[in-house]
Amino acid sequence: MTNTVVGDEKPWHPVARLPEDWQAWLKTQGEAPFRASQVFRWIHRQGELSPAAMTNLGLPLRERLVSDGLGPPGVVVDVKRAQDGTRKLLVEFAHGARVECVLIPMTPKTAEDTDYLVDSEGELEEEEQEESRTKVTLCISTQYGCAMGCVFCASGQFGLQRGLGAHEVVFQVLLAKRYLEPGEVLSNLVFMGMGEPLHHYDQTARAVRLITHPEGLAMSARRLTVSTVGLPNGIQKLGEDFAGKVGLAVSLHAPDDETRSRIIPMNQRYPVAKLLSALRAYPLPRRRRITIEYTLIAGINDSPAHAERLADLLRGLRVKVNLIPMNPIEASELQAPVDSVVARFRETLADRGYSCFVRTTRGDDVLAACGQLALQGEPVRLRRGKSDGV
Ligand code: SAH
């Protein structure tokens, strides 16, 4: 296994090329520039990755696309459907990299449960209010394993195997669209699967550009949420590159350095104060809020004093807090608190004026909780020391 990012080197993989990259490539092939749009649309609008099916292109061009490497970068190796309609795809990429993506339908009944995934408050446009189709939120992965080492997280304990290229990230969206059921529409995308999206920022940013491109999937950036362990430089770049339009979720999980460093090794490099400054500087559009994720772990970060400190820490920031009772993982003895502790923590924050939700597990009968499926049967490795390049 290597630790390198596939696709980091230019030129981009064909599935990660924007129309302007296609134009440059087509020029080298002696083809007309208007073909760029055609190829890009086949891939990102139709979800067609086999050049043979691109019938409006000449045969010689289709053959050159094949020899250039255009084709599906991964395959679905398993699909599980939970009783609540959640579908979990296990996708295998080159070199045995297996990641998961999860489709989560948001029926009116479950809308409240899934509020943690998206921040749609005050955002609905008229046409959307009339939309009768079931909105589906898709959760995608950005790395196989993860270098951040969070002690309560299966991917963190597995360690980073390799980052995914932008083509592999966008491919998860193209694939997932094929698994939508009649009456469903892909509405939101959360980068909350395996991996740290801001660790390989360039790949994540390229994936966002592809997914939001008007000639492709054309998802609006505000329907995308990037969840991060809290890398301040990455948060700053994301804010600058997309003018704050991409939603931000931050895995805070503790209100002070002492507690946070115990469960998130990255906190030693980027302590809470640095993270908070990055959040304050994020160019949040009006009516949007940053999502603060807080995984509750029994005896570690779940006391009323922690809740009070959290309330103090977040004062003045436009946030909503999502509490996640920890899902038990094989690699750790840590556990979720009992329900009454979770409820008290939530009430403390609510009493201090925060909007605060407890995340109910969706699709748990198919192991849709945090990294469980892709890592099933994988040996638990000792996590590497400090990751580099962050
Ligand atoms: N690297 C990103 C995405 C990680 S997964 C980040 O840190 O945000 C998305 C969320 O699930 C994170 O908040 C993560 O801390 C949380 N998580 C991971 N393992 C968990 C577990 N076993 N129980 C509860 N939440 C977990």
Side-chain angles (χ1 to χ4, degrees):
M1 294 267 189
T2 63
N3 223 350
T4 54
V5 184
V6 171
D8 211 12
E9 65 290 345
K10 304 289 185 321
W12 294 97
H13 182 281
V15 177
R17 286 180 199 155
L18 290 160
E20 53 268 34
D21 305 314
W22 278 113
Q23 277 198 17
W25 182 83
L26 287 158
K27 202 169 172 194
T28 66
Q29 306 295 312
E31 292 277 350
F34 75 91
R35 299 274 178 215
S37 202
Q38 289 179 326
V39 178
F40 186 83
R41 281 166 179 256
W42 271 117
I43 301 171
H44 296 277
R45 182 159 289 183
Q46 314 294 339
E48 179 57 69
L49 283 86
S50 303
M54 300 179 178
T55 44
N56 58 353
L57 308 179
L59 193 56
L61 176 55
R62 283 188 253 162
E63 282 168 354
R64 279 200 298 276
L65 287 170
V66 173
S67 51
D68 192 48
L70 178 56
V75 286
V76 176
V77 292
D78 193 27
V79 184
K80 289 207 164 66
R81 192 178 192 289
Q83 279 177 354
D84 62 11
T86 301
R87 271 140 275 160
K88 183 155 185 163
L89 312 181
L90 182 60
V91 187
E92 183 164 325
F93 292 109
H95 312 298
R98 286 184 160 204
V99 301
E100 57 206 23
C101 18
V102 188
L103 290 105
I104 307 160
M106 304 167 93
T107 60
K109 214 169 129 267
T110 60
E112 212 173 289
D113 285 354
T114 44
D115 182 84
Y116 64 85
L117 289 170
V118 291
D119 184 7
S120 56
E121 195 174 271
E123 293 275 345
L124 290 184
E125 290 154 12
E126 257 169 51
E127 61 191 87
E128 292 172 41
Q129 281 168 357
E130 285 164 20
E131 176 74 77
S132 60
R133 290 181 293 178
T134 301
K135 293 187 178 130
V136 173
T137 291
L138 174 66
C139 174
I140 56 169
S141 298
T142 54
Q143 300 180 318
Y144 178 40
C146 182
M148 300 299 116
C150 302
V151 299
F152 51 85
C153 174
S155 307
Q157 292 308 296
F158 186 51
L160 179 64
Q161 309 304 314
R162 78 167 172 90
L164 300 186
H167 60 293
E168 294 165 317
V169 176
V170 76
F171 182 63
Q172 294 171 61
V173 188
L174 298 173
L175 262 184
K177 282 192 86 170
R178 299 184 199 159
Y179 287 83
L180 290 175
E181 293 174 358
E184 288 183 340
V185 60
L186 178 61
S187 152
N188 292 82
L189 187 60
V190 294
F191 292 68
M192 280 185 195
M194 200 188 276
E196 169 49 48
L198 300 183
H199 182 185
H200 296 132
Y201 179 82
D202 292 347
Q203 301 299 327
T204 297
R206 166 67 51 147
V208 170
R209 285 199 181 93
L210 291 162
I211 292 161
T212 55
H213 197 286
E215 288 193 66
L217 286 153
M219 288 184 78
S220 141
R222 65 189 171 81
R223 299 189 168 283
L224 273 48
T225 298
V226 169
S227 177
T228 176
V229 72
L231 306 180
N233 302 342
I235 293 172
Q236 188 192 340
K237 274 198 255 173
L238 189 74
E240 284 169 7
D241 289 353
F242 301 100
K245 291 202 179 92
V246 174
L248 188 62
V250 177
S251 297
L252 190 58
H253 304 328
D256 57 81
D257 286 324
E258 199 195 325
T259 313
R260 196 165 191 264
S261 293
R262 277 175 80 186
I263 50 178
I264 303 180
M266 222 0 102
N267 191 67
Q268 285 157 24
R269 190 163 332 172
Y270 301 114
V272 173
K274 272 204 174 149
L275 171 52
L276 265 286
S277 320
L279 298 187
R280 284 201 193 88
Y282 196 73
L284 209 55
R286 264 171 13 116
R287 295 195 295 189
R288 293 301 298 261
R289 290 178 295 177
I290 293 173
T291 300
I292 300 293
E293 296 167 281
Y294 197 104
T295 294
L296 283 163
I297 309 172
I300 304 278
N301 62 357
D302 61 342
S303 72
H306 285 113
E308 295 286 352
R309 278 205 292 274
L310 183 62
D312 288 343
L313 181 74
L314 297 176
R315 192 174 303 147
L317 262 179
R318 263 185 288 147
V319 294
K320 63 173 179 176
V321 182
N322 291 144
L323 300 175
I324 320 161
M326 184 192 158
N327 295 301
I329 60 166
E330 241 179 73
S332 166
E333 304 280 292
L334 298 172
Q335 294 291 336
V338 295
D339 288 353
S340 57
V341 170
V342 175
R344 192 173 53 185
F345 200 96
R346 196 200 73 77
E347 277 157 28
T348 306
L349 287 166
D351 288 348
R352 299 282 295 264
Y354 288 95
S355 88
C356 186
F357 300 85
V358 178
R359 184 184 296 192
T360 51
T361 309
R362 299 289 313 276
D364 48 357
D365 52 327
V366 293
L367 289 176
C370 301
Q372 292 175 341
L373 177 64
L375 297 179
Q376 251 180 323
E378 296 274 9
V380 177
R381 266 156 244 238
L382 270 188
R383 171 172 73 68
R384 296 193 175 90
K386 284 194 169 175
S387 72
D388 40 21
V390 188

